Amino acid sequence: MAKLNPYLNFDGTAEEAFKFYRSVFGGEFLGGVMRMSDAPGTENLPEDEKKRVMHIALPIGEDVLMASDIVPSMGHKLNVGNNNYISVFPESREEADRLFGALSAGGTVEMPMEDQFWGDYFGSFVDQFGIHWMINYSAQQGHNK
């Protein structure tokens, strides 16, 4: 079966966001932080864009969260919207509360963590970087994957 990894785009804040995510989830970046200046043909980019992140990856459990920054001088434009959520399935209610509290700090809560009609403990929010998250804990084994 194919493996899916969420890939996020930022407008110059990918590294800051991923340092924050690393502070919540732990771990180390796979392959470090690759910069736009590491790619061939980027000599003519503005200096501030050369420092932008070309690729960053953080393992979270068996999955990998990945991202890059857009490059405005190449015509890229970031449109932050609600068309993509990262859904996290923690192993306990306590971990659900910890992740929700840490990741939503400085953001906007859409639904606070509560027991839901479908039987799970669920909440959603937009973090301080405009990324949409869902935290979903299910006491029933096998529901979390």
Side-chain angles (χ1 to χ4, degrees), residues 44-104:
N44 295 326
L45 285 179
E47 285 304 313
D48 64 320
E49 289 185 1
K50 288 181 182 179
K51 296 175 187 171
R52 287 182 173 226
V53 172
M54 182 175 70
H55 181 75
I56 191 167
L58 179 64
I60 301 173
E62 296 179 14
D63 302 308
V64 180
L65 182 63
M66 302 176 182
S68 63
D69 283 314
I70 62 163
V71 184
S73 67
M74 295 176 122
H76 301 169
K77 184 174 179 183
L78 182 69
N79 295 309
V80 176
N82 63 359
N83 59 334
N84 189 7
Y85 278 78
I86 299 171
S87 186
V88 180
F89 295 86
E91 296 181 359
S92 69
R93 286 178 73 94
E94 295 76 19
E95 181 70 353
D97 286 336
R98 184 189 78 77
L99 292 172
F100 189 93
L103 288 168
S104 67

Side-chain angles (χ1 to χ4, degrees), residues 22-38:
R22 182 177 62 188
S23 77
V24 174
F25 292 105
E28 295 299 326
F29 301 133
L30 294 176
V33 179
M34 297 172 62
R35 308 250 175 232
M36 294 297 173
S37 61
D38 297 332

